[in-house]
Amino acid sequence: MEKEYWSKKGSNYHTVNLPNPAGGEPRAIAWVKAELKTLEEFYFGTTHLCHEFEANRIAQLDSLLSYAATLDKPVIWVGDLNFTPDSPEYQRIPNHWKEAGAVAGDTLNTYGTPETGARIDYIWYDSRKFDLVEYKVLSHITISDHYPVWAVLRIKKQNE
């Protein structure tokens, strides 16, 4: 049986403002460096990208990815990204970033209704550093117009 390791503590909490070249609501991504009980560390970021302008989402995504590339630990980033898997935004994400729902083959809608909604909430991870163990859309939780997405990831050992 595989052991489960939950985050022991967080540090280096910070926010990075994201660009809005087309105007609209200011956006940011919040980051934390998390430490597991095994003393392994990783960065976790969460955001809500612009819902109005594709140009903003592309600029925000590019900014987020550029910043993630500077971090010295494995990275996971999540959020309501306001784009679908067939969008230009989704398609421009580099191949080493994997989207947990796509890897799991679970393409359930995360917003609206199962029949008329969209898949716009994601968990992205660096596949060079993590393996996906499990993924779910928690469609039975209806406290919002979005369904929570949930994943279990395993940090790869350096020799993997």
Side-chain angles (χ1 to χ4, degrees):
M1 183 169 167
E2 195 170 317
K3 291 183 182 179
E4 292 185 20
Y5 296 100
W6 300 99
S7 180
K8 178 181 174 186
K9 64 180 180 178
S11 65
N12 194 12
Y13 296 94
H14 59 288
T15 301
V16 176
N17 291 328
L18 298 174
N20 280 326
E25 212 175 303
R27 301 293 175 158
I29 182 165
W31 290 100
V32 62
K33 187 189 322 182
E35 181 181 303
L36 301 174
K37 290 180 182 177
T38 60
L39 304 182
E40 295 167 296
E41 295 177 317
F42 65 96
Y43 279 94
F44 183 88
T46 185
T47 191
H48 182 192
L49 299 185
C50 180
H51 66 286
E52 294 181 286
F53 306 110
E54 180 180 302
N56 281 355
R57 287 188 300 277
I58 288 172
Q60 291 163 1
L61 182 60
D62 288 348
S63 176
L64 177 161
L65 293 169
S66 292
Y67 184 80
T70 70
L71 297 172
D72 63 348
K73 303 290 180 191
V75 176
I76 300 166
W77 52 278
V78 305
D80 173 353
L81 304 185
N82 280 309
F83 57 74
T84 59
D86 61 350
S87 70
E89 300 93 323
Y90 190 104
Q91 302 305 316
R92 75 187 291 116
I93 298 171
N95 289 336
H96 69 277
W97 291 107
K98 299 298 180 197
E99 188 259 301
V103 172
D106 185 339
T107 58
L108 293 176
N109 290 335
T110 63
Y111 168 77
T113 69
E115 299 79 26
T116 63
R119 192 159 80 91
I120 61 174
D121 303 278
Y122 302 101
I123 299 170
W124 290 88
Y125 62 94
D126 185 340
S127 63
R128 300 169 300 186
K129 306 290 183 173
F130 293 96
D131 285 317
L132 179 66
V133 176
E134 190 174 355
Y135 171 84
K136 294 178 188 175
V137 176
L138 304 177
S139 57
H140 63 284
I141 298 176
T142 57
I143 57 174
S144 167
D145 56 349
H146 293 258
Y147 302 120
V149 292
W150 177 85
V152 176
L153 298 166
R154 182 180 62 85
I155 295 179
K156 291 181 177 182
K157 302 297 179 206
Q158 287 193 342
N159 58 355
E160 289 185 60

